[in-house]
Amino acid sequence: MASWTLVEGDWKLVANKSRVTRLGFCLMLKFSEIEARFPEFIGEVPQPAVEYVAGLVKVSAAELAKYDLAGAKRHRKQIREALGFRPATLKDEERLTAWLASEVCPVELVEDRQREILLVECRARSIEPPGRTRIEKVLVAARNRWERVFCARAIGRLGEVGGGPATGAGRGGQRGRRCTAGAAQA
């Protein structure tokens, strides 16, 4: 429970908040510190943590049901500022995609591990990770980018071994298309 304990700076952030707002804000703050993202729904916060923080702020844990997580935009902004994070932009997503494709995908093939590495990188860059669907799009784009590079290299090497340039042209003259399709299914 140490991760959920409020420290001096936390108390300053919640000083002007009352009851349900104080409890919801504290839980979002601590969840963000631990996960480097905001909870998408209240049920993501472990119940023992809810009860522990409720005891610290002297509010009934049952009152959390009244907290409007979706409407807490101002709270998210305050927490980002306090933790030194910012929301991800489309430019960030493109940079993360390029980084994943060049640095991660060549050495880590397990999708769950790629996702974990992406979240760690977002934390290192002080970026609040994009939502789940955006994260999946970044991961898919990075894998696709890496597969194209991998296939182009493989086709190039096959041409070198065979004594001539490999055209890699399939039906319709789509260079390397079969290799990419096969790699995506593997």
Side-chain angles (χ1 to χ4, degrees):
M1 284 293 141
S3 300
W4 294 91
T5 300
L6 300 173
V7 296
E8 184 178 333
D10 300 339
W11 288 109
K12 289 178 183 176
L13 288 171
V14 298
N16 64 342
K17 295 178 176 38
S18 61
R19 307 213 38 88
V20 170
T21 304
R22 182 172 56 239
L23 176 58
F25 183 92
C26 289
L27 289 168
M28 281 186 36
L29 173 65
K30 292 313 206 174
F31 187 93
S32 297
E33 286 178 356
I34 295 165
E35 298 289 331
R37 67 177 179 84
F38 293 107
E40 292 183 26
F41 53 93
I42 288 295
E44 270 192 284
V45 180
Q47 190 59 37
V50 172
E51 293 170 14
Y52 177 73
V53 173
L56 293 175
V57 298
K58 299 184 181 5
V59 176
S60 167
E63 288 194 47
L64 183 60
K66 298 176 189 172
Y67 184 69
D68 181 16
L69 184 65
K73 290 180 181 178
R74 193 168 47 96
H75 290 173
R76 286 191 291 274
K77 183 177 186 232
Q78 289 174 314
I79 291 168
R80 277 189 210 107
E81 288 173 3
L83 299 179
F85 277 74
R86 62 181 176 75
T89 64
L90 290 176
K91 194 172 205 168
D92 290 323
E93 290 180 20
E94 176 52 39
R95 288 181 183 140
L96 290 165
T97 299
W99 174 79
L100 280 165
S102 65
E103 302 294 325
V104 178
C105 291
V107 296
E108 180 56 68
L109 303 177
V110 178
E111 292 180 18
D112 287 342
R113 286 285 303 137
Q114 290 173 348
R115 187 175 299 100
E116 289 172 20
I117 293 167
L118 172 59
L119 294 175
V120 168
E121 186 66 15
C122 285
R123 183 184 287 250
R125 295 181 186 199
S126 298
I127 299 170
E128 177 189 342
R132 288 178 198 248
T133 55
R134 298 297 308 166
I135 285 175
E136 292 309 312
K137 287 181 180 184
V138 167
L139 290 166
V140 167
R143 285 191 290 269
N144 288 342
R145 191 178 292 185
W146 163 242
E147 287 171 359
R148 285 191 304 274
V149 169
F150 175 81
C151 288
R153 286 181 188 162
I155 290 168
R157 288 181 184 148
L158 288 171
E160 293 169 10
V161 171
T167 61
R171 284 183 281 197
Q174 294 180 342
R175 184 177 176 91
R177 188 58 144 182
R178 274 198 191 128
C179 181
T180 304
Q185 292 172 354

